[in-house]
Amino acid sequence: MITLTISLTFIALAYWIIYLIKRSTPKTNNRYQTLFQSSPSILIEVDEKWTIIAWNSNAQSTFGWTESEAIGQPIIDLLVPLKDQAHVRDSLLKALKKGKSDSKNYNLTKGKKEIFCEWHNSRVNYE
């Protein structure tokens, strides 16, 4: 069993940096991509419908799907076994409403192996 812990402080800082860079010029978007992809944490960005819109290299090495395979997929359908889907939906809804949430649940790899993960979810507003 693998346990993944993502630091909430680090994510908040990383998302703040991402927010500032996304509001900047296209040239600085390269900085966003570098920070996102080189993070020592698994970072997955989803839209309001829980569709994956960004997937970093640590997500790929942990779960097995490439970025191109993951982007456009519903995160719950791709990563969460049926037994944990309601819990994960509740956690994501809480993050959407309150700004953040934490959850511990099983996730699926591309090879259908279940791994136990600890998630720290944060809502990011780009407006």
Side-chain angles (χ1 to χ4, degrees), residues 10-38 43 45 124-127:
F10 178 78
I11 288 177
L13 175 61
Y15 275 129
W16 177 246
I17 292 168
I18 290 166
Y19 171 76
L20 291 176
I21 291 171
K22 279 195 168 185
R23 291 192 54 140
S24 301
T25 65
K27 179 181 176 183
T28 58
N29 191 44
N30 289 336
R31 288 188 202 147
Y32 158 75
Q33 287 299 324
T34 300
L35 289 168
F36 189 84
Q37 290 301 331
S38 64
L43 296 179
E45 188 175 0
V124 179
N125 297 317
Y126 293 117
E127 286 84 49

Side-chain angles (χ1 to χ4, degrees), residues 4-8 11 15 101-103 118-122:
L4 302 174
T5 304
I6 303 170
S7 167
L8 181 60
I11 288 177
Y15 275 129
S101 69
D102 300 323
S103 67
E118 179 176 349
W119 293 97
H120 303 280
N121 309 301
S122 298

Side-chain angles (χ1 to χ4, degrees), residues 4 18 27 56 74 77 81 90 95 115-116:
L4 302 174
I18 290 166
K27 179 181 176 183
N56 80 348
D77 294 344
D90 290 345
I115 57 175
F116 192 75

Side-chain angles (χ1 to χ4, degrees), residues 63 79-81 105-109 113-117 119:
F63 297 113
L79 291 181
V80 185
N105 55 273
Y106 283 95
N107 290 109
L108 295 171
T109 66
K113 180 180 176 184
E114 287 191 7
I115 57 175
F116 192 75
C117 302
W119 293 97

